Amino acid sequence: MTDRHETGIVWFRRDLRLTDQPALRGALEHCDQLVLLYVDDSETETTWAAGAASRWWLHQSLEALGSDIASRGATLTLRRGPALDTLRAVIAETGASAVFWNRLYEPAAIDRDKAIKSALKDDDIAVYSHNGALLQEPWAVMTKTDTPYRVFTPYWRTARAKLHRQDPLAAPATIAGVEMDSLALAALGLEPTIDWDDGLEAAWTPGEAGAMSRARAFVADPVRDYDTTRDLPGTAGTSRLSPHLHFGEISPRQVWRLVEEAQDPESDGCRVFLTEIGWREFSHYVMFHFPHTTDAPMNERFAAFPWRDDDEAARDIRAWERGRTGIPIVDAGMRELWRTGWMHNRVRMIVASLLVKNIRAHWLHGARWFWDTLVDADLPANTMGWQWSAGTGADAAPYFRIFNSVTQGEKFDGDGAYVRHWVPELAALPKKYLHKPWEAPETVLREAGVTLGRDYPRPVVDLKTSRKSALDAFQTLKEAS
Ligand code: FAD
């Protein structure tokens, strides 16, 4: 097999950018002309096919990528169907002899890509896979006994020590592309058929340029206070880069470099922010080494946990999804999610704790709702977030540590700006009762124009008794094991 190819295919997946794009760079180095291909093979996906918010984002991101490619003199070709069949069809149409892609780390993608690699090699097609998504490959960071880490802090210590400075790859000025029949973007049917995406449109600019401008704005200043503002949902203290990173519109290497160029990377704000990029790495790492965790608890003892699973639980889960639990900080978060496709990390932890501990619903209920509604829905990060919250995962909060939504709300949304914004029916309540309206005297409620059970729900669970039930359930598990 030769290293030089007349025609090569760059198979875009979740690397929808032209800068720091190793597969594209590899293809440009090895080939005279390129097919730039996106394949919608979602019909072959089973349990974790992209949800509605992700599909909305993907539509916008492909549109942006298509126009970035067009400005380099080439065309993005869109096809639909099983990935191997589609690649083979494109190879037959163009005579391409090589395929380039950036690796993914979810178990289903790994299985698919392995099968494709081996089938294409049998067809005498060269396959080049690259790392375009992570700072380090998951197999490059292991304990002294060559086992994978399960705890973040020692993982990150080792991973950080191994990081060396790598310059992000420049985007090509021009691309010699092959013109092919392509589906129209609309034919992929990614956009919602009902009109619910106004909030997404107002909140985000998907695509490489949107990602870069968000990253630049964040490193210019907010990152300096990240260590103190990152936990305050009422403040724009975090980067909101998660969907851009998920779709590969910007690479973690670019983000790292932007921080280094703009600020002192050892300052508190930057160090804490870069550690969050480390958490992203760790979530991919855990999924790579423990692939069963997408659907099963990492801590196997929780397989027998008595989650609530009856009509009443279903009603509580529905109230949670709709932001109608009667617990203001939780409802604020769930409404932010529904409206913008994103939720602040602190609030993700609070709403998850209420669902898995106070409501005692299986964490997969929450993971699936997030999967459908988050624009940054990411199997490694979402699985880790839910397993962490449920106490079932790697480096998890112990099950018996149960967040109190009221205390969390008072601590992290002290002035109530976040709740007042997302739960406007409570906006006139004084601070003292904003996070626990059920404790407000009738006169206070009346003055604020709130009748509980009419304008705003009473809480679906009592925080104290549900906490006790959760601890009892945990105790039965402990006794059984
Ligand atoms: P910043 O605070 O600016 O952090 C920078 C980047 O670091 C993020 O964009 C993200 O890529 C990464 N990051 C930060 N925290 C984490 C973390 N705990 N785990 C993994 N990566 C992290 N994140 C997702 O990207 N997709 C998900 O589907 C997802 N689901 C979650 C579910 C639950 C229950 C919880 C508790 C957390 C989840 N997270 C998820 C992690 C985190 O909440 C988001 O990454 C973060 O809120 C994104 O906002 P940001 O870009 O402003 O983050």
Side-chain angles (χ1 to χ4, degrees), residues 218 226 230 237-243 245-246 273 275-281 283 342-346 348-352 370-371 374 376-389:
F218 180 70
Y226 180 80
R230 63 188 280 259
T238 70
S239 71
R240 298 188 187 224
L241 283 171
S242 48
L245 279 162
H246 170 75
F273 176 70
T275 304
E276 293 308 310
I277 301 293
W279 274 100
R280 176 180 178 275
E281 295 276 308
S283 65
W342 184 88
M343 192 198 297
H344 189 278
N345 180 61
R346 169 59 49 184
R348 291 188 204 206
M349 294 194 284
I350 298 170
V351 304
F370 270 30
W371 188 253
L374 276 172
D376 66 21
D378 180 84
L379 200 53
N382 198 40
T383 305
M384 172 174 276
W386 278 98
Q387 293 233 20
W388 183 91
S389 303

Tab-separated table of all heavy atoms in Angstrom, residues 218 226 230 237-243 245-246 273 275-281 283 342-346 348-352 370-371 374 376-389, ligand 1:
chain	number	residue	atom	x	y	z
A	218	PHE	N	-13.955	34.393	26.284
A	218	PHE	CA	-13.813	33.838	27.635
A	218	PHE	C	-12.384	33.989	28.160
A	218	PHE	O	-12.177	34.366	29.315
A	218	PHE	CB	-14.237	32.363	27.636
A	218	PHE	CG	-14.128	31.725	28.986
A	218	PHE	CD1	-15.001	32.085	30.007
A	218	PHE	CD2	-13.138	30.787	29.252
A	218	PHE	CE1	-14.892	31.514	31.279
A	218	PHE	CE2	-13.027	30.215	30.515
A	218	PHE	CZ	-13.914	30.582	31.530
A	226	TYR	N	-12.588	32.553	37.057
A	226	TYR	CA	-13.320	31.291	36.931
A	226	TYR	C	-13.361	30.527	38.248
A	226	TYR	O	-14.376	29.922	38.592
A	226	TYR	CB	-12.659	30.446	35.830
A	226	TYR	CG	-13.330	29.117	35.593
A	226	TYR	CD1	-14.481	29.025	34.819
A	226	TYR	CD2	-12.810	27.941	36.141
A	226	TYR	CE1	-15.104	27.793	34.597
A	226	TYR	CE2	-13.420	26.712	35.925
A	226	TYR	CZ	-14.566	26.647	35.149
A	226	TYR	OH	-15.171	25.433	34.937
A	230	ARG	N	-17.336	30.227	38.824
A	230	ARG	CA	-17.799	29.041	38.089
A	230	ARG	C	-18.974	28.328	38.758
A	230	ARG	O	-19.684	27.578	38.119
A	230	ARG	CB	-16.652	28.041	37.942
A	230	ARG	CG	-16.161	27.516	39.271
A	230	ARG	CD	-14.923	26.697	39.093
A	230	ARG	NE	-15.267	25.369	38.637
A	230	ARG	CZ	-15.316	24.290	39.409
A	230	ARG	NH1	-15.033	24.386	40.694
A	230	ARG	NH2	-15.623	23.119	38.919
A	237	GLY	N	-20.107	32.972	34.358
A	237	GLY	CA	-18.733	32.710	34.813
A	237	GLY	C	-18.036	31.534	34.164
A	237	GLY	O	-16.867	31.293	34.441
A	238	THR	N	-18.758	30.774	33.321
A	238	THR	CA	-18.104	29.628	32.682
A	238	THR	C	-18.035	29.862	31.179
A	238	THR	O	-18.644	30.796	30.657
A	238	THR	CB	-18.863	28.316	32.976
A	238	THR	OG1	-20.110	28.342	32.281
A	238	THR	CG2	-19.111	28.127	34.476
A	239	SER	N	-17.315	28.981	30.494
A	239	SER	CA	-16.999	29.279	29.087
A	239	SER	C	-18.142	28.998	28.111
A	239	SER	O	-18.180	29.549	27.026
A	239	SER	CB	-15.798	28.435	28.653
A	239	SER	OG	-16.180	27.071	28.551
A	240	ARG	N	-19.041	28.096	28.476
A	240	ARG	CA	-20.094	27.606	27.562
A	240	ARG	C	-19.500	27.054	26.272
A	240	ARG	O	-20.073	27.187	25.181
A	240	ARG	CB	-21.120	28.698	27.256
A	240	ARG	CG	-21.814	29.111	28.517
A	240	ARG	CD	-22.971	30.051	28.292
A	240	ARG	NE	-23.431	30.497	29.596
A	240	ARG	CZ	-24.691	30.588	29.957
A	240	ARG	NH1	-25.642	30.270	29.122
A	240	ARG	NH2	-25.023	30.989	31.157
A	241	LEU	N	-18.358	26.451	26.397
A	241	LEU	CA	-17.739	25.850	25.210
A	241	LEU	C	-18.170	24.403	24.998
A	241	LEU	O	-17.800	23.784	23.995
A	241	LEU	CB	-16.199	25.902	25.342
A	241	LEU	CG	-15.576	27.268	25.067
A	241	LEU	CD1	-14.091	27.262	25.445
A	241	LEU	CD2	-15.743	27.644	23.587
A	242	SER	N	-18.962	23.850	25.949
A	242	SER	CA	-19.213	22.401	25.898
A	242	SER	C	-19.801	21.892	24.580
A	242	SER	O	-19.306	20.889	24.060
A	242	SER	CB	-20.078	21.979	27.091
A	242	SER	OG	-21.181	22.826	27.249
A	243	PRO	N	-20.816	22.547	23.987
A	243	PRO	CA	-21.299	21.983	22.717
A	243	PRO	C	-20.270	22.134	21.601
A	243	PRO	O	-20.154	21.262	20.734
A	243	PRO	CB	-22.567	22.798	22.421
A	243	PRO	CG	-22.480	24.009	23.286
A	243	PRO	CD	-21.632	23.674	24.450
A	245	LEU	N	-17.042	22.003	21.962
A	245	LEU	CA	-16.046	20.942	22.158
A	245	LEU	C	-16.640	19.594	21.773
A	245	LEU	O	-15.977	18.759	21.153
A	245	LEU	CB	-15.584	20.917	23.622
A	245	LEU	CG	-14.524	21.956	23.980
A	245	LEU	CD1	-14.454	22.166	25.502
A	245	LEU	CD2	-13.147	21.545	23.451
A	246	HIS	N	-17.899	19.378	22.122
A	246	HIS	CA	-18.509	18.083	21.804
A	246	HIS	C	-18.508	17.829	20.300
A	246	HIS	O	-18.191	16.730	19.847
A	246	HIS	CB	-19.939	18.004	22.344
A	246	HIS	CG	-20.669	16.798	21.826
A	246	HIS	ND1	-20.424	15.535	22.299
A	246	HIS	CD2	-21.580	16.665	20.815
A	246	HIS	CE1	-21.164	14.661	21.630
A	246	HIS	NE2	-21.871	15.327	20.727
A	273	PHE	N	-9.830	26.251	35.484
A	273	PHE	CA	-10.489	26.035	34.186
A	273	PHE	C	-9.821	24.888	33.409
A	273	PHE	O	-10.500	24.001	32.877
A	273	PHE	CB	-10.465	27.332	33.361
A	273	PHE	CG	-11.030	27.149	31.986
A	273	PHE	CD1	-12.397	26.929	31.805
A	273	PHE	CD2	-10.204	27.160	30.870
A	273	PHE	CE1	-12.926	26.735	30.521
A	273	PHE	CE2	-10.725	26.965	29.594
A	273	PHE	CZ	-12.080	26.745	29.424
A	275	THR	N	-8.257	22.475	34.591
A	275	THR	CA	-8.589	21.202	35.253
A	275	THR	C	-9.949	20.696	34.770
A	275	THR	O	-10.177	19.485	34.669
A	275	THR	CB	-8.584	21.389	36.794
A	275	THR	OG1	-7.307	21.896	37.155
A	275	THR	CG2	-8.823	20.080	37.517
A	276	GLU	N	-10.855	21.608	34.450
A	276	GLU	CA	-12.155	21.160	33.904
A	276	GLU	C	-11.966	20.530	32.530
A	276	GLU	O	-12.654	19.565	32.185
A	276	GLU	CB	-13.144	22.331	33.804
A	276	GLU	CG	-13.575	22.874	35.149
A	276	GLU	CD	-14.105	21.805	36.101
A	276	GLU	OE1	-14.974	21.014	35.699
A	276	GLU	OE2	-13.633	21.762	37.245
A	277	ILE	N	-11.034	21.072	31.756
A	277	ILE	CA	-10.711	20.423	30.478
A	277	ILE	C	-10.173	19.021	30.786
A	277	ILE	O	-10.405	18.055	30.048
A	277	ILE	CB	-9.675	21.262	29.674
A	277	ILE	CG1	-10.230	22.664	29.394
A	277	ILE	CG2	-9.263	20.565	28.380
A	277	ILE	CD1	-11.425	22.718	28.464
A	278	GLY	N	-9.474	18.913	31.924
A	278	GLY	CA	-9.003	17.608	32.404
A	278	GLY	C	-10.157	16.670	32.723
A	278	GLY	O	-10.105	15.480	32.443
A	279	TRP	N	-11.243	17.207	33.306
A	279	TRP	CA	-12.420	16.370	33.584
A	279	TRP	C	-13.027	15.847	32.287
A	279	TRP	O	-13.527	14.735	32.213
A	279	TRP	CB	-13.471	17.144	34.389
A	279	TRP	CG	-13.226	17.088	35.867
A	279	TRP	CD1	-12.642	18.048	36.637
A	279	TRP	CD2	-13.549	16.004	36.765
A	279	TRP	NE1	-12.576	17.633	37.950
A	279	TRP	CE2	-13.132	16.381	38.053
A	279	TRP	CE3	-14.141	14.760	36.582
A	279	TRP	CZ2	-13.301	15.557	39.167
A	279	TRP	CZ3	-14.312	13.935	37.690
A	279	TRP	CH2	-13.891	14.336	38.964
A	280	ARG	N	-12.992	16.681	31.277
A	280	ARG	CA	-13.505	16.220	29.970
A	280	ARG	C	-12.670	15.035	29.475
A	280	ARG	O	-13.194	14.021	29.026
A	280	ARG	CB	-13.460	17.383	28.960
A	280	ARG	CG	-13.888	16.979	27.568
A	280	ARG	CD	-13.834	18.145	26.583
A	280	ARG	NE	-14.219	17.695	25.258
A	280	ARG	CZ	-13.388	17.139	24.408
A	280	ARG	NH1	-12.103	16.982	24.703
A	280	ARG	NH2	-13.826	16.718	23.231
A	281	GLU	N	-11.341	15.203	29.605
A	281	GLU	CA	-10.450	14.102	29.207
A	281	GLU	C	-10.774	12.843	30.012
A	281	GLU	O	-10.845	11.743	29.485
A	281	GLU	CB	-8.988	14.487	29.494
A	281	GLU	CG	-8.464	15.623	28.686
A	281	GLU	CD	-7.963	15.199	27.307
A	281	GLU	OE1	-7.148	14.284	27.215
A	281	GLU	OE2	-8.409	15.830	26.329
A	283	SER	N	-13.487	11.934	31.487
A	283	SER	CA	-14.757	11.263	31.160
A	283	SER	C	-14.571	10.366	29.926
A	283	SER	O	-15.082	9.249	29.880
A	283	SER	CB	-15.889	12.280	30.963
A	283	SER	OG	-15.661	13.099	29.844
A	342	TRP	N	-28.924	24.024	27.489
A	342	TRP	CA	-27.718	24.003	28.334
A	342	TRP	C	-28.147	24.279	29.764
A	342	TRP	O	-29.179	24.915	29.998
A	342	TRP	CB	-26.764	25.103	27.849
A	342	TRP	CG	-25.429	25.175	28.540
A	342	TRP	CD1	-24.292	24.488	28.208
A	342	TRP	CD2	-25.073	26.020	29.655
A	342	TRP	NE1	-23.264	24.836	29.052
A	342	TRP	CE2	-23.722	25.781	29.955
A	342	TRP	CE3	-25.768	26.949	30.438
A	342	TRP	CZ2	-23.050	26.423	30.985
A	342	TRP	CZ3	-25.096	27.586	31.472
A	342	TRP	CH2	-23.752	27.328	31.733
A	343	MET	N	-27.370	23.775	30.708
A	343	MET	CA	-27.625	24.098	32.117
A	343	MET	C	-26.280	24.245	32.806
A	343	MET	O	-25.323	23.531	32.484
A	343	MET	CB	-28.420	22.958	32.765
A	343	MET	CG	-28.998	23.289	34.142
A	343	MET	SD	-29.465	21.791	35.048
A	343	MET	CE	-30.720	21.127	34.035
A	344	HIS	N	-26.251	25.162	33.747
A	344	HIS	CA	-25.035	25.413	34.496
A	344	HIS	C	-24.607	24.152	35.271
A	344	HIS	O	-25.461	23.429	35.797
A	344	HIS	CB	-25.313	26.570	35.466
A	344	HIS	CG	-24.093	27.077	36.139
A	344	HIS	ND1	-23.553	26.461	37.243
A	344	HIS	CD2	-23.282	28.121	35.863
A	344	HIS	CE1	-22.476	27.114	37.622
A	344	HIS	NE2	-22.290	28.134	36.801
A	345	ASN	N	-23.314	23.901	35.350
A	345	ASN	CA	-22.826	22.663	35.982
A	345	ASN	C	-23.287	22.494	37.427
A	345	ASN	O	-23.704	21.411	37.832
A	345	ASN	CB	-21.294	22.623	35.925
A	345	ASN	CG	-20.753	21.371	36.569
A	345	ASN	OD1	-21.051	20.263	36.139
A	345	ASN	ND2	-19.980	21.534	37.644
A	346	ARG	N	-23.244	23.551	38.200
A	346	ARG	CA	-23.674	23.438	39.605
A	346	ARG	C	-25.142	22.994	39.658
A	346	ARG	O	-25.529	22.152	40.448
A	346	ARG	CB	-23.463	24.802	40.293
A	346	ARG	CG	-24.074	24.995	41.655
A	346	ARG	CD	-23.629	24.029	42.729
A	346	ARG	NE	-22.202	23.849	42.860
A	346	ARG	CZ	-21.624	22.975	43.712
A	346	ARG	NH1	-22.377	22.218	44.508
A	346	ARG	NH2	-20.327	22.849	43.763
A	348	ARG	N	-26.744	21.389	37.254
A	348	ARG	CA	-26.845	19.990	36.798
A	348	ARG	C	-26.682	19.055	37.999
A	348	ARG	O	-27.396	18.071	38.136
A	348	ARG	CB	-25.764	19.668	35.755
A	348	ARG	CG	-25.971	20.374	34.437
A	348	ARG	CD	-24.992	19.893	33.352
A	348	ARG	NE	-24.831	20.938	32.348
A	348	ARG	CZ	-24.494	20.752	31.097
A	348	ARG	NH1	-24.258	19.540	30.638
A	348	ARG	NH2	-24.373	21.766	30.262
A	349	MET	N	-25.736	19.385	38.879
A	349	MET	CA	-25.510	18.508	40.037
A	349	MET	C	-26.718	18.545	40.984
A	349	MET	O	-27.112	17.525	41.538
A	349	MET	CB	-24.238	18.926	40.781
A	349	MET	CG	-22.988	18.719	39.938
A	349	MET	SD	-21.474	18.806	40.888
A	349	MET	CE	-21.273	20.533	41.152
A	350	ILE	N	-27.303	19.730	41.132
A	350	ILE	CA	-28.442	19.868	42.061
A	350	ILE	C	-29.664	19.115	41.519
A	350	ILE	O	-30.305	18.342	42.233
A	350	ILE	CB	-28.780	21.363	42.292
A	350	ILE	CG1	-27.596	22.088	42.949
A	350	ILE	CG2	-30.049	21.508	43.133
A	350	ILE	CD1	-27.748	23.621	43.002
A	351	VAL	N	-29.965	19.312	40.224
A	351	VAL	CA	-31.172	18.650	39.686
A	351	VAL	C	-30.973	17.132	39.634
A	351	VAL	O	-31.912	16.356	39.837
A	351	VAL	CB	-31.591	19.184	38.282
A	351	VAL	CG1	-31.791	20.684	38.303
A	351	VAL	CG2	-30.613	18.793	37.189
A	352	ALA	N	-29.727	16.725	39.377
A	352	ALA	CA	-29.455	15.280	39.304
A	352	ALA	C	-29.613	14.661	40.688
A	352	ALA	O	-30.197	13.591	40.840
A	352	ALA	CB	-28.053	15.041	38.756
A	370	PHE	N	-31.493	14.415	29.682
A	370	PHE	CA	-30.392	15.317	29.322
A	370	PHE	C	-29.939	15.025	27.887
A	370	PHE	O	-29.623	15.930	27.122
A	370	PHE	CB	-29.206	15.107	30.278
A	370	PHE	CG	-29.228	15.985	31.504
A	370	PHE	CD1	-30.417	16.415	32.070
A	370	PHE	CD2	-28.035	16.374	32.123
A	370	PHE	CE1	-30.426	17.221	33.210
A	370	PHE	CE2	-28.033	17.183	33.250
A	370	PHE	CZ	-29.226	17.602	33.798
A	371	TRP	N	-29.899	13.748	27.563
A	371	TRP	CA	-29.405	13.338	26.238
A	371	TRP	C	-30.243	13.970	25.128
A	371	TRP	O	-29.737	14.410	24.108
A	371	TRP	CB	-29.451	11.807	26.128
A	371	TRP	CG	-28.795	11.304	24.891
A	371	TRP	CD1	-29.399	10.782	23.784
A	371	TRP	CD2	-27.385	11.317	24.615
A	371	TRP	NE1	-28.458	10.456	22.845
A	371	TRP	CE2	-27.221	10.778	23.328
A	371	TRP	CE3	-26.252	11.734	25.330
A	371	TRP	CZ2	-25.961	10.636	22.739
A	371	TRP	CZ3	-24.999	11.598	24.748
A	371	TRP	CH2	-24.868	11.055	23.472
A	374	LEU	N	-29.999	18.437	25.882
A	374	LEU	CA	-28.761	19.224	25.950
A	374	LEU	C	-28.155	19.425	24.560
A	374	LEU	O	-28.028	18.451	23.806
A	374	LEU	CB	-27.699	18.482	26.773
A	374	LEU	CG	-27.689	18.587	28.285
A	374	LEU	CD1	-26.656	17.608	28.860
A	374	LEU	CD2	-27.387	19.998	28.761
A	376	ASP	N	-25.080	20.075	24.399
A	376	ASP	CA	-23.739	19.508	24.577
A	376	ASP	C	-23.788	18.028	24.970
A	376	ASP	O	-22.805	17.486	25.479
A	376	ASP	CB	-22.925	20.318	25.605
A	376	ASP	CG	-23.484	20.254	27.036
A	376	ASP	OD1	-24.233	19.323	27.362
A	376	ASP	OD2	-23.144	21.156	27.836
A	377	ALA	N	-24.951	17.370	24.745
A	377	ALA	CA	-25.086	15.955	25.160
A	377	ALA	C	-23.880	15.155	24.660
A	377	ALA	O	-23.623	15.103	23.464
A	377	ALA	CB	-26.376	15.375	24.608
A	378	ASP	N	-23.179	14.575	25.592
A	378	ASP	CA	-21.907	13.930	25.274
A	378	ASP	C	-21.864	12.650	26.108
A	378	ASP	O	-21.971	12.718	27.340
A	378	ASP	CB	-20.788	14.901	25.686
A	378	ASP	CG	-19.406	14.358	25.425
A	378	ASP	OD1	-18.940	14.490	24.283
A	378	ASP	OD2	-18.801	13.798	26.357
A	379	LEU	N	-21.766	11.516	25.455
A	379	LEU	CA	-21.941	10.263	26.199
A	379	LEU	C	-20.934	10.118	27.339
A	379	LEU	O	-21.327	9.788	28.467
A	379	LEU	CB	-21.905	9.064	25.241
A	379	LEU	CG	-22.530	7.781	25.778
A	379	LEU	CD1	-23.951	7.974	26.285
A	379	LEU	CD2	-22.508	6.695	24.699
A	380	PRO	N	-19.643	10.382	27.120
A	380	PRO	CA	-18.723	10.267	28.254
A	380	PRO	C	-19.042	11.235	29.401
A	380	PRO	O	-19.120	10.832	30.563
A	380	PRO	CB	-17.351	10.580	27.640
A	380	PRO	CG	-17.506	10.259	26.194
A	380	PRO	CD	-18.926	10.589	25.848
A	381	ALA	N	-19.253	12.510	29.077
A	381	ALA	CA	-19.462	13.500	30.149
A	381	ALA	C	-20.812	13.302	30.827
A	381	ALA	O	-20.940	13.449	32.050
A	381	ALA	CB	-19.362	14.919	29.582
A	382	ASN	N	-21.820	12.955	30.042
A	382	ASN	CA	-23.155	12.789	30.617
A	382	ASN	C	-23.191	11.551	31.510
A	382	ASN	O	-23.712	11.589	32.627
A	382	ASN	CB	-24.186	12.673	29.484
A	382	ASN	CG	-25.605	12.933	29.951
A	382	ASN	OD1	-25.849	13.839	30.760
A	382	ASN	ND2	-26.535	12.133	29.492
A	383	THR	N	-22.595	10.476	31.042
A	383	THR	CA	-22.568	9.249	31.840
A	383	THR	C	-21.813	9.506	33.141
A	383	THR	O	-22.274	9.133	34.226
A	383	THR	CB	-21.876	8.123	31.043
A	383	THR	OG1	-22.541	7.976	29.800
A	383	THR	CG2	-21.910	6.812	31.807
A	384	MET	N	-20.668	10.159	33.010
A	384	MET	CA	-19.901	10.408	34.228
A	384	MET	C	-20.669	11.320	35.184
A	384	MET	O	-20.722	11.078	36.395
A	384	MET	CB	-18.549	11.042	33.879
A	384	MET	CG	-17.819	11.490	35.111
A	384	MET	SD	-16.185	12.086	34.758
A	384	MET	CE	-15.336	10.590	34.723
A	385	GLY	N	-21.301	12.363	34.645
A	385	GLY	CA	-22.046	13.301	35.489
A	385	GLY	C	-23.169	12.597	36.238
A	385	GLY	O	-23.377	12.820	37.432
A	386	TRP	N	-23.873	11.730	35.542
A	386	TRP	CA	-25.009	11.049	36.179
A	386	TRP	C	-24.540	9.983	37.147
A	386	TRP	O	-25.087	9.843	38.234
A	386	TRP	CB	-25.970	10.487	35.116
A	386	TRP	CG	-26.859	11.594	34.650
A	386	TRP	CD1	-26.712	12.346	33.525
A	386	TRP	CD2	-27.980	12.129	35.361
A	386	TRP	NE1	-27.686	13.320	33.474
A	386	TRP	CE2	-28.480	13.199	34.584
A	386	TRP	CE3	-28.612	11.823	36.557
A	386	TRP	CZ2	-29.579	13.964	34.987
A	386	TRP	CZ3	-29.709	12.575	36.954
A	386	TRP	CH2	-30.178	13.625	36.171
A	387	GLN	N	-23.518	9.244	36.755
A	387	GLN	CA	-23.043	8.202	37.685
A	387	GLN	C	-22.405	8.850	38.920
A	387	GLN	O	-22.529	8.355	40.032
A	387	GLN	CB	-22.045	7.279	36.982
A	387	GLN	CG	-22.703	6.457	35.890
A	387	GLN	CD	-22.438	4.960	36.049
A	387	GLN	OE1	-22.084	4.484	37.115
A	387	GLN	NE2	-22.624	4.225	34.972
A	388	TRP	N	-21.747	9.968	38.714
A	388	TRP	CA	-21.156	10.693	39.842
A	388	TRP	C	-22.280	11.137	40.782
A	388	TRP	O	-22.218	10.918	41.995
A	388	TRP	CB	-20.357	11.893	39.324
A	388	TRP	CG	-19.648	12.658	40.403
A	388	TRP	CD1	-18.376	12.450	40.861
A	388	TRP	CD2	-20.196	13.746	41.177
A	388	TRP	NE1	-18.094	13.331	41.874
A	388	TRP	CE2	-19.185	14.134	42.095
A	388	TRP	CE3	-21.422	14.412	41.201
A	388	TRP	CZ2	-19.377	15.181	43.013
A	388	TRP	CZ3	-21.605	15.441	42.122
A	388	TRP	CH2	-20.590	15.816	43.008
A	389	SER	N	-23.314	11.749	40.197
A	389	SER	CA	-24.421	12.259	41.020
A	389	SER	C	-25.146	11.135	41.737
A	389	SER	O	-25.612	11.297	42.865
A	389	SER	CB	-25.424	13.025	40.153
A	389	SER	OG	-24.778	14.072	39.477
B	1	FAD	P1	-16.760	25.170	31.765
B	1	FAD	O1	-16.936	25.237	33.235
B	1	FAD	O2	-16.401	26.390	31.045
B	1	FAD	O3	-15.695	24.017	31.488
B	1	FAD	C1	-14.925	23.965	30.275
B	1	FAD	C2	-15.124	22.635	29.590
B	1	FAD	O4	-14.647	21.576	30.421
B	1	FAD	C3	-16.564	22.297	29.316
B	1	FAD	O5	-17.011	22.911	28.136
B	1	FAD	C4	-16.524	20.785	29.209
B	1	FAD	O6	-16.083	20.352	27.935
B	1	FAD	C5	-15.439	20.419	30.220
B	1	FAD	N1	-16.050	20.045	31.499
B	1	FAD	C6	-16.329	20.846	32.544
B	1	FAD	N2	-16.822	20.124	33.566
B	1	FAD	C7	-16.862	18.843	33.145
B	1	FAD	C8	-17.279	17.624	33.757
B	1	FAD	N3	-17.736	17.593	35.022
B	1	FAD	N4	-17.197	16.481	33.046
B	1	FAD	C9	-16.715	16.495	31.785
B	1	FAD	N5	-16.302	17.631	31.159
B	1	FAD	C10	-16.379	18.773	31.830
B	1	FAD	N6	-20.849	18.010	30.011
B	1	FAD	C11	-20.953	17.842	28.683
B	1	FAD	O7	-20.138	18.387	27.926
B	1	FAD	N7	-21.945	17.077	28.148
B	1	FAD	C12	-22.862	16.441	28.928
B	1	FAD	O8	-23.720	15.721	28.394
B	1	FAD	C13	-22.796	16.630	30.335
B	1	FAD	N8	-23.717	16.074	31.158
B	1	FAD	C14	-23.619	16.268	32.510
B	1	FAD	C15	-24.574	15.681	33.349
B	1	FAD	C16	-24.512	15.870	34.720
B	1	FAD	C17	-25.542	15.217	35.622
B	1	FAD	C18	-23.486	16.653	35.278
B	1	FAD	C19	-23.409	16.875	36.758
B	1	FAD	C20	-22.528	17.237	34.453
B	1	FAD	C21	-22.579	17.054	33.065
B	1	FAD	N9	-21.640	17.648	32.199
B	1	FAD	C22	-21.740	17.442	30.853
B	1	FAD	C23	-20.463	18.365	32.738
B	1	FAD	C24	-20.609	19.888	32.894
B	1	FAD	O9	-21.799	20.198	33.557
B	1	FAD	C25	-20.568	20.616	31.558
B	1	FAD	O10	-19.459	20.207	30.814
B	1	FAD	C26	-20.464	22.137	31.774
B	1	FAD	O11	-21.547	22.601	32.531
B	1	FAD	C27	-20.441	22.826	30.432
B	1	FAD	O12	-20.450	24.211	30.589
B	1	FAD	P2	-19.185	25.095	30.189
B	1	FAD	O13	-18.780	24.760	28.795
B	1	FAD	O14	-19.505	26.488	30.487
B	1	FAD	O15	-18.102	24.512	31.189
